[in-house]
Amino acid sequence: AGVETIGVETSSVATTTDAVNGLGSYHGKLFAAGGLQSKGLFAYQVSSGNWGQGLLPQAGGQYAEQATFMVPFHGRFFMATTAPVGSGDCRLYMTSSTTPSSGDWTEVSGTGFSAQVGVQTNMAVSCLAVFQDRLVAGTKDPGYLLCTVDGNAATWSLVGGFPPANAHVTALGVWNGALFAGLKQNGVAALYSSPDLSTWTPMTTDGFGDGNNTEVTSMEVTGPFLLVSVKNPSTGAQVWTIKSQD
């Protein structure tokens, strides 16, 4: 089978993106999260080779630098961002539209995140997951794990005691009834699991035995396996397979 290459095409907002940081699906429509000239950008596929796109709204007169990750939750679609360039707070936006314009996105995280961690100039929401009917967000620079305390994502709380010191939360995955958190911990990839957001078990804290594995970059469930990808600037990226022993 051949491979078709498609791109985000010209729209009224911009002609291209600087980066696509993540892909997601909402009501059968493909979305992309990225950035354009230090402004968070969303895009959605209208048809093969045809995309609509726009900038996520400003908050406090500032654009988030990049849109990073997205996930559906309680009938709406959530998109996470980095902080704006130079100052401000990372954000989370939501929409219920499958063909949104910039005005269809509502910021939901500003007061919730800031109340828990304070305004962090360089912080980014790096990953999202839905676990036990809660929306969970991981951050880096610095690293925190936060979760919703209600279904509309208006109120957030810090997950106590996690991640460990000197760690960034870089990936989240749900598998076999547990939440898995991938980290960059003391400069090395680490992986933890939790059945309840309270008790955490380290799966590896030494880069899967390779200190050149610097961080977990993504996770995906396929069949009975959890696939974990890691960054390795020295010898190349790796994908590790975890299988249940049940």
Side-chain angles (χ1 to χ4, degrees):
V3 177
E4 178 188 8
T5 301
I6 60 177
V8 179
E9 299 194 350
T10 302
S11 75
S12 60
V13 177
T15 57
T16 187
T17 61
D18 296 333
V20 174
N21 301 314
L23 297 172
S25 178
Y26 179 56
H27 289 305
K29 189 175 294 292
L30 179 63
F31 277 74
L36 176 69
Q37 298 173 356
S38 299
K39 298 176 182 178
L41 180 83
F42 66 89
Y44 56 88
Q45 190 175 28
V46 177
S47 59
S48 179
N50 183 23
W51 292 73
Q53 65 183 50
L55 297 177
L56 290 169
Q58 296 184 69
Q62 295 177 302
Y63 288 103
E65 183 179 4
Q66 294 278 329
T68 56
F69 205 88
M70 69 214 83
V71 68
F73 177 65
H74 276 234
R76 286 162 294 182
F77 197 52
F78 289 78
M79 187 169 289
T81 76
T82 65
V85 176
S87 64
D89 195 9
C90 57
R91 306 168 192 162
L92 193 65
Y93 291 89
M94 70 178 180
T95 186
S96 57
S97 173
T98 58
T99 55
S101 64
S102 294
D104 292 322
W105 293 91
T106 302
E107 187 190 2
V108 294
S109 67
T111 56
F113 278 11
S114 296
Q116 298 298 327
V117 304
V119 174
Q120 304 284 347
T121 300
N122 297 312
M123 191 166 76
V125 181
S126 50
C127 46
L128 297 169
V130 177
F131 179 63
Q132 295 180 349
D133 201 37
R134 299 190 215 179
L135 184 58
V136 183
T139 73
K140 58 183 180 180
D141 298 319
Y144 295 98
L145 194 66
L146 302 98
C147 66
T148 59
V149 296
D150 55 31
N152 65 16
T155 308
W156 292 78
S157 65
L158 279 171
V159 174
F162 192 86
N166 302 315
H168 306 278
V169 184
T170 54
L172 293 171
V174 178
W175 181 62
N176 271 11
L179 179 69
F180 286 75
L183 308 180
K184 181 178 183 178
Q185 182 178 345
N186 296 313
V188 179
L191 183 67
Y192 290 75
S193 68
S194 175
D196 53 12
L197 293 176
S198 297
T199 303
W200 293 89
T201 300
M203 311 295 291
T204 180
T205 57
D206 64 353
F208 294 92
D210 185 344
N212 292 318
N213 288 333
T214 58
E215 66 181 272
V216 175
T217 55
S218 65
M219 283 182 263
E220 185 66 36
V221 176
T222 176
F225 304 106
L226 176 66
L227 304 182
V228 181
S229 63
V230 295
K231 180 179 180 179
N232 186 317
S234 298
T235 57
Q238 301 175 6
V239 178
W240 287 78
T241 302
I242 300 174
K243 184 177 181 181
S244 173
Q245 295 181 345
D246 295 341

